């Protein structure tokens, strides 16, 4: 982070609205988090990777209704894109109070037959992006002497399905990163927590819900899938409870106990 951006961040008036960054904020859980933070009065920056009609519609709607929204196209598997994204937010908002690491993809397949490019794609998007984004926002949060990072993990970290070796490894890495980074930055008054959703109704889970409906009903103790508002409420709980750090909150309807 350049010195002028660092100066802007450390000199932001306390009366200014807080600033949040949400990665992968154009759809699914990320979109719900963006909207919920805007409703709470946050200035929100979010990134997206692809220009699609759905993304364009969402950006048009959210920037119309909430002018303090900053959408940025970025590939967070690339260190240069991460740095440019975080710097853009710092220049626009002057502070970074919250980072929600949410970006993620799936590429299920047996490890013995999985291509290297798919392994690298999963690791770079699902784990490396969390590391890179956390590193960059800490350059703003440490001089501020406050901040909060919330990582979105998955039940697959603890209860993976067949064909999820690499996906589960990235989610397990996210939870280990959460705990280790919480220890590292606590002296700077920065908290790091995670949320591990179960099966949530999103675009990403549509195929799973269509093909495994009976399996879901038999495995989820509450006999239903989750909705995105149940994840955003967990985000808000972690934001409001300042005595929590290094924790992983499970939101899975009892799937972990089946």
């Amino acid at each position: 982070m350049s010195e002028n951006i660092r100066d802007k961040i450390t000199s932001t008036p306390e009366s200014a609205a807080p600033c949040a960054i949400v990665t992968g904020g154009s759809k699914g859980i990320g979109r719900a988090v963006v909207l919920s933070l805007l409703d709470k009065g946050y200035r929100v920056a979010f990134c997206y990777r692809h220009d699609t009609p759905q993304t364009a519609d969402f950006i048009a709607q959210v920037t119309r209704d909430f002018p303090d929204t900053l959408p940025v196209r970025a590939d967070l598997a690339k260190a240069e894109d991460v740095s440019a994204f975080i710097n853009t937010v710092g220049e626009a908002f002057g502070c970074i109070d919250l980072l929600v690491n949410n970006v993620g993809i799936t590429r299920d397949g047996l490890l013995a037959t999985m291509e290297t490019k798919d392994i690298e794609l999963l690791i770079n998007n699902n784990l490396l992006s969390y590391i890179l984004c956390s590193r960059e926002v800490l350059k703003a949060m440490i001089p501020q002497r406050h901040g909060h990072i919330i990582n979105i993990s998955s039940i697959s970290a603890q209860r993976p399905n067949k064909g999820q070796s690499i996906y589960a490894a990235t989610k397990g890495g996210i939870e280990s990163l959460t705990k280790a980074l919480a220890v590292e930055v606590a002296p700077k008054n920065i908290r790091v927590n995670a949320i591990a959703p179960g099966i949530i109704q999103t675009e990403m889970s549509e195929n799973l819900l269509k093909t495994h409906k009976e399996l879901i009903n038999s495995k989820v103790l509450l006999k239903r899938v989750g909705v995105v508002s149940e994840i955003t409420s967990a985000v808000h709980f972690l934001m409001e409870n300042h005595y929590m750090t290094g924790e992983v909150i499970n939101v899975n309807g009892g799937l972990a106990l089946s």
Side-chain angles (χ1 to χ4, degrees), residues 29-77:
I29 291 172
R31 178 172 59 200
V33 173
V34 167
L35 292 172
S36 72
L37 292 174
L38 288 168
D39 283 338
K40 279 187 166 289
Y42 274 72
R43 295 171 290 163
V44 179
F46 69 90
C47 66
Y48 60 97
R49 187 166 45 174
H50 300 298
D51 287 315
T52 67
Q54 294 82 2
T55 299
D57 288 345
F58 175 64
I59 290 173
Q61 172 205 334
V62 77
T63 53
R64 180 188 68 239
D65 296 341
F66 300 94
D68 274 343
T69 308
L70 177 63
V72 179
R73 184 178 178 182
D75 182 353
L76 300 188

Side-chain angles (χ1 to χ4, degrees), residues 163-213:
Q164 289 189 322
S165 295
I166 305 305
Y167 180 79
T170 63
K171 296 303 183 177
I174 287 168
E175 295 187 7
S176 294
L177 170 68
T178 297
K179 295 176 184 294
L181 190 56
V183 174
E184 184 176 319
V185 299
K188 305 297 185 182
N189 194 34
I190 298 167
R191 298 186 298 123
V192 187
N193 290 292
I195 297 168
I199 303 169
I200 307 298
Q201 180 81 55
T202 65
E203 297 94 327
M204 184 182 289
S205 65
E206 282 181 358
N207 290 333
L208 174 67
L209 297 178
K210 289 176 183 177
T211 58
H212 295 85
K213 187 174 181 179

Side-chain angles (χ1 to χ4, degrees), residues 199-202 224-228 230:
I199 303 169
I200 307 298
Q201 180 81 55
T202 65
R224 67 173 177 85
V225 298
V227 294
V228 291
E230 289 163 324

Side-chain angles (χ1 to χ4, degrees), residues 49 104-109 114 118 121-122 125-126 156 163-164 167 171 204-205:
R49 187 166 45 174
I105 62 170
T106 59
R107 288 292 189 280
D108 289 358
M114 184 174 281
D118 288 328
L121 198 64
L122 278 167
N125 281 278
N126 292 8
S156 297
Q164 289 189 322
Y167 180 79
K171 296 303 183 177
M204 184 182 289
S205 65

